[in-house]
Amino acid sequence: MYLEQVKTFKTHPFLYFILPILFTLLIGVNYIFSMDVDTNDVIAQTIDSIGVNATFVLMIIPLSLGLFFVWFWVKVVQQQSITSLTTSRAKVDFKRIFFSFFLWGSITAIMTYVAYIAQPENFVFNFKLEKFAVFFVLAIILIPLQTSFEEYLFRGNLMQGLALVTKNRLIALLIPAILFGLMHVANPEVGKIGPIIMIYYIGTGLFLGILTIMDEGLELALGFHAANNLIGALLVTADWTAFQTHSILKDVSEPTGSFEIILPIFVIFPILLFIFSKIYKWNNWKEKLTGTIDLN
């Protein structure tokens, strides 16, 4: 069992929280110093100075490299295997990762196509082959590293640490979801749409946490998160998003902050949970999500 297996580790509980605490403090400091700064202006100035692709790399590379630091910390300092941080199975199930990736990637592509067909005036064709090709290579390398860093930090290390300390599944589910949402508080999307978008970020963290606990591993969350960021970045960009890219389309509409939040959190994510539960035969939801963790 993904959370129960922490009882076999000899790691001091405090070690599980050092990285999440340091990262959260870093995000907090960044938010404080950026309160009086127009993030969109900063991004625009950086793009004017070094270009779109270089700006993308500059923004994403710290989180992408952070994955290797998390792995190093867990392997060397906590003396825990990366497999046990990833899954309760004997080995990482890459079929789960790829299935989740292609399922959500396909849904994202279909929803983007439908939005384009329904309201073509909201988009402009942004595709430039040479620039897109360079961005494509950068994106398929760096974005999965970035999303995996967030999954291993929040749904992996922090969730397992909370399970060890609190022995409470609900706490292990909720705290990483909330911190994952707050991690995005300095994103330009928050300034553009308003604090209501935090419902989407925290809701997504909750969804990924449910995936992890019910499936007894990070595989589905890793695939979903990579598809969400990668396919989205390749298909659509906008002047008010954190990742401004050489994507195929550019959204020139004004975001409303309602439909974009309600549809995934309250409609699509529950449907996905139902699909995954049928495929992987999940059961005993209440106990797995809210029960106690037996570490005896």
Side-chain angles (χ1 to χ4, degrees), residues 244-258:
Q244 297 182 30
T245 66
H246 286 300
S247 59
I248 296 174
L249 299 172
K250 184 173 183 178
D251 187 345
V252 294
S253 66
E254 283 294 318
T256 62
S258 55

Side-chain angles (χ1 to χ4, degrees), residues 2-4 6 17 153-179 205-206 208-210 212-213 288-293:
Y2 186 66
L3 297 180
E4 280 82 355
V6 295
F17 301 101
L153 183 66
F154 290 104
R155 255 69 61 183
N157 206 47
L158 179 58
M159 183 178 281
Q160 287 187 341
L162 288 168
L164 180 63
V165 170
T166 69
K167 301 180 183 179
N168 186 296
R169 289 176 172 271
L170 189 59
I171 293 176
L173 171 64
L174 292 179
I175 291 181
I178 293 170
L179 290 179
L206 185 63
L208 292 168
I210 293 172
T212 300
I213 293 176
K288 283 189 174 182
L289 296 178
T290 65
T292 58
I293 301 169

Side-chain angles (χ1 to χ4, degrees), residues 104-202:
W104 184 239
S106 299
I107 292 173
T108 300
I110 291 170
M111 290 194 301
T112 301
Y113 178 74
V114 170
Y116 177 72
I117 294 298
Q119 295 180 302
E121 70 276 6
N122 289 344
F123 301 90
V124 295
F125 195 64
N126 191 55
F127 182 76
K128 299 178 180 65
L129 179 58
E130 184 177 346
K131 293 180 178 179
F132 177 82
V134 174
F135 170 65
F136 180 84
V137 173
L138 294 172
I140 62 173
I141 295 172
L142 296 177
I143 289 181
L145 295 177
Q146 170 245 326
T147 56
S148 295
F149 161 73
E150 295 174 11
E151 290 309 307
Y152 276 104
L153 183 66
F154 290 104
R155 255 69 61 183
N157 206 47
L158 179 58
M159 183 178 281
Q160 287 187 341
L162 288 168
L164 180 63
V165 170
T166 69
K167 301 180 183 179
N168 186 296
R169 289 176 172 271
L170 189 59
I171 293 176
L173 171 64
L174 292 179
I175 291 181
I178 293 170
L179 290 179
F180 175 78
L182 293 177
M183 180 190 76
H184 297 83
V185 71
N187 281 20
E189 292 91 335
V190 178
K192 182 68 175 181
I193 298 176
I196 191 173
I197 198 176
M198 296 306 297
I199 296 175
Y200 172 77
Y201 290 133
I202 294 174

Side-chain angles (χ1 to χ4, degrees), residues 18-198:
I18 291 178
L19 292 187
I21 288 173
L22 288 176
F23 185 70
T24 302
L25 289 174
L26 182 63
I27 294 297
V29 170
N30 178 63
Y31 175 70
I32 291 172
F33 279 97
S34 64
M35 289 180 66
D36 297 324
V37 176
D38 189 323
T39 309
N40 286 323
D41 282 347
V42 173
I43 295 174
Q45 291 171 12
T46 306
I47 290 174
D48 288 341
S49 176
I50 63 176
V52 172
N53 284 333
T55 300
F56 167 75
V57 172
L58 184 66
M59 293 183 65
I60 199 174
I61 199 70
L63 298 182
S64 299
L65 295 179
L67 173 64
F68 300 103
F69 188 78
V70 172
W71 282 350
F72 171 83
W73 180 271
V74 169
K75 184 71 175 179
V76 176
V77 179
Q78 294 182 190
Q79 297 185 336
Q80 175 183 341
S81 70
I82 304 302
T83 299
S84 67
L85 182 68
T86 308
T87 186
S88 60
R89 288 167 271 276
K91 59 182 180 179
V92 177
D93 188 344
F94 287 97
K95 288 184 179 179
R96 274 175 155 85
I97 296 176
F98 291 127
F99 173 71
S100 182
F101 179 93
F102 287 112
L103 176 62
W104 184 239
S106 299
I107 292 173
T108 300
I110 291 170
M111 290 194 301
T112 301
Y113 178 74
V114 170
Y116 177 72
I117 294 298
Q119 295 180 302
E121 70 276 6
N122 289 344
F123 301 90
V124 295
F125 195 64
N126 191 55
F127 182 76
K128 299 178 180 65
L129 179 58
E130 184 177 346
K131 293 180 178 179
F132 177 82
V134 174
F135 170 65
F136 180 84
V137 173
L138 294 172
I140 62 173
I141 295 172
L142 296 177
I143 289 181
L145 295 177
Q146 170 245 326
T147 56
S148 295
F149 161 73
E150 295 174 11
E151 290 309 307
Y152 276 104
L153 183 66
F154 290 104
R155 255 69 61 183
N157 206 47
L158 179 58
M159 183 178 281
Q160 287 187 341
L162 288 168
L164 180 63
V165 170
T166 69
K167 301 180 183 179
N168 186 296
R169 289 176 172 271
L170 189 59
I171 293 176
L173 171 64
L174 292 179
I175 291 181
I178 293 170
L179 290 179
F180 175 78
L182 293 177
M183 180 190 76
H184 297 83
V185 71
N187 281 20
E189 292 91 335
V190 178
K192 182 68 175 181
I193 298 176
I196 191 173
I197 198 176
M198 296 306 297

